[in-house]
Amino acid sequence: MKANLVLLPGDGIGPEITQQAASVLEAVAKRFGHEFEFRSHLIGGIAIDSTGEPLPAATISACKDADAILLGAVGGPKWDDPSAKTRPEAGLLQIRKELGLFANLRPIRLFDELVDASPLKREIIEGTDILFLRELTGGIYFGESGRSGEGSSESAYQSMVYSVPEVERIVRLAAQAAKGRQNRLTSVDKANVLEPSRLWRQVAARVMAEEFPDVQYDVVLVDSMAMHLINRPRDFDVVVTSNMFGDILTDEASMLPGSLGMLPSASLGSDGPGLYEPIHGSAPDIAGQDIANPLATILAAAMLLRHSLSLNEEAEAIESAVSQVLADGLRTADIARGSESLGTQAMGQAVIERLSN
Ligand code: NAD
Ligand code: IPM
Ligand code: MN
């Protein structure tokens, strides 16, 4: 197979981890006889520095023409001034919107070898396997915002809007995913306070009753979910959330496998290329030191092979190589819990050495 892949390394640790994931993809192509063409484009702070915009037109058109996109991360203290004209993060939101990537799949998979790397107790987390479906192109992230007044009379607002079709499509996708897993779906909302959550709850209930009567379905309020997630994570199978709740809950959920550096994600639309990225950010505190964990991005590359190129065997080859690396005791600093660790490049290389065909 020939595939045209766009790399968006971005900022902070973005370039280091994207490079490792791209090398793993290259190794997969070589071993399985595929031809992957890689083109890198600008997004985020680095794009602001060289073009004045976080998502230049050339990046948008390259992404639209690609078979799939692999992104590192955007953002950093250099571009954090609250009064700046634009922000790196705006580029990421815009590319999600431009490509219609309304569904963000965030699997919370525990590697057996890492159970003791988690700050949580083994008896609580063992056996956890959750798939989050985070709505990605609506809600408060894309609501109207603004400011008025000055000085101590200044105020700011950002509205949260969801429409019926936006809720229907993400709930449908989540329910379909549940059917292929443990057949259980949990919808998270804040319907006791927020109007868009009440719409969400009504639409979700209707879709489930009409189209998925056989899927076990329940509803949990987001504050309560934050607690259940670390108290009884095994009870959840597929979890569907609005944009912001999914953002927050999945960073929390990263403590189940033990590190943000282990969690990949796939952002998908109804057609067109998917975008694959780790769920973590640009980690400015460790950028440029060759210590970031590249496994989240490498696992995102596996998701890319599976979801955008239908290369299931190749995706599994990456995932088993990652398991093997962990079984062999190799750890980056974030999952080493104080014992010996290896760097970003060495970890990428270790995965490549364990790829089989
Ligand atoms: P972060 O996810 O970048 O980092 C949080 C903590 O986790 C840091 O201590 C970091 O060192 C650690 N960490 C993250 N990824 C790691 C990895 N692969 N290996 C080892 N340790 C890792 O979150 P933050 O510090 O709150 O945000 C930094 C910047 O990243 C901000 O500008 C934010 O907007 C941006 N951000 C971008 C994305 C994205 O591009 N998708 C996601 C989240 C945050
Ligand atoms: C993520 C990030 C982004 C988000 C930011 C950087 C825009 O936190 O991908 O989880 O909030 O969606
Ligand atoms: Mn986030």
Side-chain angles (χ1 to χ4, degrees), residues 11 13 17 71-77 79-80 87-89 92 96 106 134 247 251 255 259-262 265 277-287 291-297 332-335 344:
D11 308 315
I13 61 169
I17 54 177
L71 178 128
V74 298
W79 306 281
D80 264 351
R87 306 177 54 83
E89 291 80 357
L92 183 54
R96 290 170 178 170
R106 297 188 160 190
R134 169 190 177 196
D247 179 44
D251 265 34
M255 285 301 105
S259 172
L260 264 178
M262 292 302 300
S265 86
E277 54 171 316
I279 82 156
H280 62 70
S282 60
D285 52 339
I286 58 166
I291 56 173
N293 187 346
L295 294 179
T297 320
T332 42
D334 57 313
I335 49 174
T344 310

Side-chain angles (χ1 to χ4, degrees), residues 222-286:
V222 64
D223 45 354
S224 175
M225 186 66 187
M227 178 271 293
H228 294 308
L229 200 50
I230 50 171
N231 186 43
R232 50 180 188 91
R234 264 194 300 268
D235 289 355
F236 301 99
D237 178 21
V238 179
V239 177
V240 65
T241 73
S242 61
N243 204 339
M244 186 160 68
F245 296 161
D247 179 44
I248 298 169
L249 290 176
T250 50
D251 265 34
E252 184 196 9
S254 75
M255 285 301 105
L256 299 163
S259 172
L260 264 178
M262 292 302 300
L263 293 194
S265 86
S267 304
L268 308 173
S270 35
D271 49 29
L275 185 150
Y276 301 82
E277 54 171 316
I279 82 156
H280 62 70
S282 60
D285 52 339
I286 58 166

Side-chain angles (χ1 to χ4, degrees), residues 2-57:
K2 279 192 181 182
N4 157 21
L5 306 178
V6 163
L7 301 176
L8 303 177
D11 308 315
I13 61 169
E16 304 167 51
I17 54 177
T18 310
Q19 200 197 333
Q20 294 314 311
S23 300
V24 169
L25 284 172
E26 256 165 17
V28 166
K30 210 165 151 198
R31 299 208 185 168
F32 289 81
H34 304 301
E35 217 175 292
F36 297 159
E37 194 181 312
F38 297 93
R39 289 222 174 82
S40 287
H41 284 273
L42 296 173
I43 192 169
I46 188 172
I48 294 177
D49 288 351
S50 55
T51 71
E53 298 166 48
L55 188 67

Side-chain angles (χ1 to χ4, degrees), residues 12-201:
I13 61 169
E16 304 167 51
I17 54 177
T18 310
Q19 200 197 333
Q20 294 314 311
S23 300
V24 169
L25 284 172
E26 256 165 17
V28 166
K30 210 165 151 198
R31 299 208 185 168
F32 289 81
H34 304 301
E35 217 175 292
F36 297 159
E37 194 181 312
F38 297 93
R39 289 222 174 82
S40 287
H41 284 273
L42 296 173
I43 192 169
I46 188 172
I48 294 177
D49 288 351
S50 55
T51 71
E53 298 166 48
L55 188 67
T59 301
I60 302 176
S61 66
C63 288
K64 286 187 172 163
D65 290 342
D67 293 309
I69 304 148
L70 186 69
L71 178 128
V74 298
K78 182 174 177 194
W79 306 281
D80 264 351
D81 178 358
S83 58
K85 203 168 88 258
T86 184
R87 306 177 54 83
E89 291 80 357
L92 183 54
L93 299 185
Q94 196 189 335
I95 193 69
R96 290 170 178 170
K97 196 75 171 177
E98 289 274 354
L99 300 175
L101 306 172
F102 69 89
N104 186 215
L105 279 60
R106 297 188 160 190
I108 313 298
R109 172 176 171 205
L110 243 68
F111 287 90
D112 292 340
E113 299 79 10
L114 278 192
V115 171
D116 295 314
S118 172
L120 300 163
K121 292 194 184 84
R122 172 181 278 273
E123 59 268 31
I124 294 209
I125 61 172
E126 219 164 24
T128 295
D129 182 357
I130 308 174
L131 176 63
F132 273 87
L133 261 93
R134 169 190 177 196
E135 199 290 324
L136 203 62
T137 51
I140 196 162
Y141 274 59
F142 293 91
E144 193 188 310
S145 65
R147 290 187 182 216
S148 57
E150 269 175 50
S152 60
S153 347
E154 189 174 10
S155 62
Y157 72 96
Q158 175 120 9
S159 51
M160 183 192 286
V161 181
Y162 270 114
S163 68
V164 171
E166 283 178 314
V167 181
E168 284 174 343
R169 64 186 181 179
I170 190 76
V171 170
R172 257 182 213 129
L173 213 62
Q176 276 153 6
K179 285 178 83 165
R181 293 171 44 104
Q182 301 295 310
N183 208 41
R184 286 180 285 130
L185 177 65
T186 302
S187 174
V188 173
D189 66 36
K190 185 76 185 171
N192 52 346
V193 176
L194 303 173
E195 200 58 50
S197 275
R198 287 192 278 275
L199 177 83
W200 180 287
R201 189 176 285 207

